[in-house]
Amino acid sequence: MCGITGWVSFQRHLTTQRHVLDTMTETMSCRGPDARGTWTAPHALLGHRRLAVIDLPGGTQPMEVDTPDGPVAMVYSGEAYNFTELREQLRAAGQHFTTDSDTEVVLRGYLVWGEALAERLNGMYAFAIWDGRTEKLVMIRDRMGIKPFYYYPTDDGVLFGSEPKAILANPLAPPVVDRDGLRELLAFAKTPGAAIWQGMREVRPGHLITLDRGGLRDHAYWQLRAEEHTDDRDATVAHVRELLDDIIARQLVADVPRCTLLSGGLDSSAMTALAAQQLGEHGERVRSFAVDFPNQEENFRAIDVSPSQDTPFVHAVAEHVDSDHNDIVLAGAALSDPEVRRAVVAARDVPSGIGDRDNSLYLLFKAIRGHSTVALSGESADEVFGGYPWFHDERREADTFPWLAGGGLMRPGVLLHPDLKRDLDLDTYVRDHYVSALKEAPLKDGETGLERRMRQVSYLHLTRMVQTLLDRKDRMSMAVGLEVRVPFCDHRLVQYVFNTPWALKTFDGKEKSILRAATRNVLPHSVAERKKSGYPATFDPAYVTSIQRQVRELLDTHHQATELFDAAGLTAAATADPGAIGQDDRAGLERALDIATWFDLRHPVIKTS
């Protein structure tokens, strides 16, 4: 796991711009604390920051192979979990290796298979290859978009990077956010390929982009397909278990300490139990970590996405699988610390609006990094297997993204200034993007009724919602140099479950029936039967009191960010009884603080006309 960046220009002689490349590369020092490297050619610059996970002495980047027709150089972020099989295939094709790294496997794979390499990879990755033989840049992102990858077309080439901050460090990319950027920021409905910064784009998941003197070309090498599911219940459950065993075995491979993120929910518990089983066969104990808050038992309030506390279930799993377990307890004062918020916003490049959940995730990862370099997460299982409450109630029929229906944690435009809300017209923006997403969703011929609708709902989650969560996970973890792997995003599992009929996904009358049946034998009964409960929030009154005070300070000093908000509504939320404040008001306060911090860090130029 690393950070990559680069600049291709067919009109400039870029060897005179190494200082710019150095600046772009250094913006991602947190993503790669172990090493840095740059590579230069007349029309291409590549920069890399390395977090060493496999083949610690080898794997140095940028990596280059000299050919008779010119150099081929690469910067690579992520992991190819099938690199050992690919290496054997490449050796059979005549390739010779000088390292044990997956990086060299990917580079030599390009030499043999060209752009078709992308279809052979299993993993999480974002990489760029400069092919000096033809003066062509190839940019490839993994199928689910686990690793971030941004690019910025210029008049004569392109800038690219793992994060926007790398691109914005180049004078050619001013930090401008226009109306569509603000809409994308505030809508909670991720548009594939979009970035909030004017002129910037994301490489879409499962896409390959090439650039040569003829221009940019974008090609989808993978996408979800609607196919007939022919396995019965027993065969489906058995195949899911077979896939999970293989996926977790592959993702446990590392030359550094690894662990699991354990919440006590079905997803993370199943993953931890399977990891414990596999490591136990080699005489190892799995190490697990969970987040908790002081006095959470007294302060906890059940909400739609978090109906129960995690800690009792976490401890039940840890005892059941005999993990080396640690609870990371985070106080409200730490979660509301402006320096923590600053670190979080700096990591994400945008004000997320998820408040203490982002701050606690950052602090959790920071604590884990003191013990492990790699962590496995249960992220995305809810999108794959249909775990959220709105998969199972009337919200799944709403004429919008289900996670935005009926209020809840993700509501666009909370406490925004009425003039800005009217100008942005977020409802229309969300509606247009919802309709566009539905048109993309693959359907089987003759599919009707609930099965048709649930395929659409699954597609929306796997292509829109999951992107927001994966980006959050990547930014918070890489900000502290922790590599987080997501077994439930393996494309084989995603494609298989996507085509499993909804009636089969809910055969026991509960959410995630197939996952529960596939892993029940390794779980405590209480956890196997637990209802879905999301990533926890703090209910510490001290946290709310602190963010209220900070927002009052913003209002008193007339901070620029407050111009985006309804002053009366923000003032009322900042002076309300901390013990009785509603979710919307709390979310509005957190968003105001995030946006103020973003203004201070990134100095965005906001253009609403």
Side-chain angles (χ1 to χ4, degrees):
M1 201 78 85
C2 308
I4 66 172
T5 191
W7 182 4
V8 171
S9 171
F10 293 111
Q11 301 300 323
R12 294 175 174 83
H13 202 287
L14 290 181
T15 55
T16 64
Q17 300 295 316
R18 292 180 184 176
H19 61 290
V20 178
L21 175 65
D22 287 341
T23 302
M24 295 169 69
T25 303
E26 287 311 300
T27 63
M28 296 180 299
S29 58
C30 290
R31 294 187 71 90
D34 296 328
R36 70 176 299 278
T38 58
W39 184 90
T40 61
H43 297 297
L45 301 178
L46 303 178
H48 188 265
R49 292 290 314 208
R50 186 185 185 204
L51 174 65
V53 172
I54 292 175
D55 187 13
L56 307 190
T60 301
Q61 297 189 53
M63 188 172 284
E64 177 185 10
V65 173
D66 285 318
T67 77
D69 299 315
V72 179
M74 181 178 76
V75 282
Y76 170 81
S77 171
E79 306 291 345
Y81 300 127
N82 62 336
F83 77 98
T84 53
E85 298 100 304
L86 295 179
R87 184 165 52 205
E88 292 311 307
Q89 294 172 27
L90 291 166
R91 280 178 172 152
Q95 291 293 309
H96 300 282
F97 290 84
T98 60
T99 75
D100 294 324
S101 70
D102 60 333
T103 304
E104 187 177 8
V105 170
V106 173
L107 180 54
R108 293 192 177 276
Y110 174 79
L111 295 177
V112 173
W113 299 311
E115 295 165 18
L117 157 72
E119 300 167 14
R120 296 174 178 259
L121 294 174
N122 176 324
M124 56 177 187
Y125 45 82
F127 60 93
I129 295 174
W130 174 252
D131 192 335
R133 300 170 299 183
T134 57
E135 290 199 320
K136 177 175 70 172
L137 179 72
V138 180
M139 298 183 287
I140 299 176
R141 190 178 184 194
D142 66 70
R143 294 170 179 82
M144 293 297 292
I146 304 167
K147 301 312 297 173
F149 201 173
Y150 295 83
Y151 67 100
Y152 186 100
T154 65
D155 290 342
D156 67 336
V158 72
L159 310 172
F160 66 85
S162 293
E163 299 180 359
K165 61 174 63 71
I167 294 171
L168 295 173
N170 190 299
L172 295 180
V176 175
V177 179
D178 58 18
R179 279 193 292 186
D180 279 345
L182 283 176
R183 289 171 178 140
E184 188 67 21
L185 173 65
L186 298 169
F188 286 117
K190 173 70 177 155
T191 305
I196 72 160
W197 304 98
Q198 189 178 62
M200 193 180 297
R201 301 285 296 166
E202 275 191 305
V203 179
R204 291 188 62 163
H207 277 236
L208 179 154
I209 294 177
T210 60
L211 170 72
D212 57 23
R213 292 181 183 273
L216 275 168
R217 285 173 293 279
D218 190 340
H219 166 68
Y221 69 87
W222 183 86
Q223 54 193 347
L224 286 166
R225 304 180 307 277
E227 299 173 335
E228 194 68 34
H229 184 85
T230 58
D231 292 342
D232 63 15
R233 180 196 299 180
D234 289 345
T236 299
V237 170
H239 187 57
V240 166
R241 176 58 179 269
E242 179 184 353
L243 283 172
L244 288 173
D245 284 336
D246 179 69
I247 292 164
I248 289 172
R250 291 176 183 277
Q251 297 198 19
L252 284 172
V253 174
D255 294 333
V256 292
R258 65 266 203 244
C259 66
T260 67
L261 308 177
L262 177 60
S263 70
L266 176 62
D267 320 329
S268 68
S269 300
M271 176 196 66
T272 297
L274 293 176
Q277 189 176 72
Q278 295 191 20
L279 291 174
E281 294 173 358
H282 301 283
E284 295 183 61
R285 289 176 71 196
V286 68
R287 174 177 284 175
S288 59
F289 291 88
V291 66
D292 200 4
F293 308 100
N295 305 312
Q296 183 78 336
E297 186 173 352
E298 296 85 34
N299 295 329
F300 179 79
R301 296 201 306 262
I303 58 176
D304 182 31
V305 295
S306 297
S308 60
Q309 284 182 256
D310 286 347
T311 302
F313 299 96
V314 167
H315 291 171
V317 174
E319 181 178 356
H320 187 76
V321 305
D322 189 31
S323 70
D324 179 5
H325 181 73
N326 288 275
D327 288 328
I328 307 299
V329 181
L330 304 174
L335 295 173
S336 62
D337 185 344
E339 288 305 310
V340 172
R341 187 178 301 277
R342 186 178 179 87
V344 166
V345 174
R348 294 202 68 171
D349 287 314
V350 296
S352 70
I354 306 181
D356 72 287
R357 285 175 170 83
D358 269 0
N359 298 357
S360 66
L361 191 64
Y362 169 81
L363 290 171
L364 172 65
F365 287 159
K366 186 176 182 180
I368 291 173
R369 184 62 176 91
H371 306 274
S372 296
T373 308
V374 170
L376 271 63
S377 166
E379 190 83 88
S380 305
D382 288 306
E383 288 79 9
V384 174
F385 290 97
Y388 292 112
W390 46 81
F391 273 89
H392 306 275
D393 61 28
E394 68 281 356
R395 286 173 288 183
R396 69 189 182 188
E397 301 292 348
D399 196 20
T400 187
F401 295 102
W403 56 90
L404 299 182
L409 292 177
M410 293 171 279
R411 291 188 58 193
V414 172
L415 295 185
L416 284 186
H417 193 286
D419 292 344
L420 182 61
K421 286 181 71 172
R422 184 168 51 252
D423 185 50
L424 295 180
D425 192 6
L426 291 175
D427 289 342
T428 300
Y429 181 80
V430 170
R431 170 66 184 169
D432 290 346
H433 284 265
Y434 170 71
V435 171
S436 176
L438 280 188
K439 290 178 180 177
E440 290 179 10
L443 299 170
K444 290 194 306 180
D445 291 341
E447 200 166 36
T448 60
L450 183 60
E451 288 293 340
R452 175 189 175 94
R453 179 55 183 168
M454 295 316 295
R455 183 183 293 278
Q456 293 174 328
V457 169
S458 295
Y459 183 82
L460 295 175
H461 281 79
L462 291 169
T463 60
R464 267 62 178 180
M465 187 174 184
V466 78
Q467 290 299 300
T468 299
L469 299 179
L470 290 174
D471 185 75
R472 168 179 179 256
K473 177 271 309 170
D474 176 87
R475 301 300 190 86
M476 294 302 96
S477 61
M478 294 308 295
V480 297
L482 178 70
E483 174 174 301
V484 176
R485 300 175 177 179
V486 278
F488 292 107
C489 276
D490 186 291
H491 70 279
R492 299 170 297 164
L493 179 68
V494 173
Q495 177 66 32
Y496 183 77
V497 178
F498 177 68
N499 283 297
T500 303
W502 182 248
L504 189 50
K505 290 179 182 175
T506 55
F507 70 79
D508 63 0
K510 301 174 184 177
E511 76 276 6
K512 296 183 282 195
S513 304
I514 298 170
L515 177 60
R516 179 178 294 103
T519 58
R520 182 185 290 276
N521 71 317
V522 294
L523 295 172
H525 177 76
S526 63
V527 173
E529 297 301 319
R530 186 187 183 193
K531 186 178 176 63
K532 158 70 184 173
S533 194
Y535 185 81
T538 181
F539 294 93
D540 186 347
Y543 172 77
V544 177
T545 300
S546 179
I547 64 172
Q548 286 180 309
R549 174 183 53 77
Q550 292 174 43
V551 169
R552 291 196 299 270
E553 291 173 358
L554 292 181
L555 291 164
D556 290 344
T557 58
H558 305 288
H559 192 285
Q560 181 185 1
T562 61
E563 297 175 5
L564 302 180
F565 290 85
D566 174 21
L570 203 58
T571 300
T575 55
D577 177 359
I581 192 168
Q583 288 185 38
D584 279 359
D585 283 347
R586 172 167 163 165
L589 294 173
E590 291 172 328
R591 169 142 280 176
L593 291 173
D594 282 352
I595 289 178
T597 304
W598 180 54
F599 272 61
D600 294 341
L601 281 170
R602 294 284 175 258
H603 309 292
V605 178
I606 307 296
K607 292 185 177 180
T608 58
S609 59

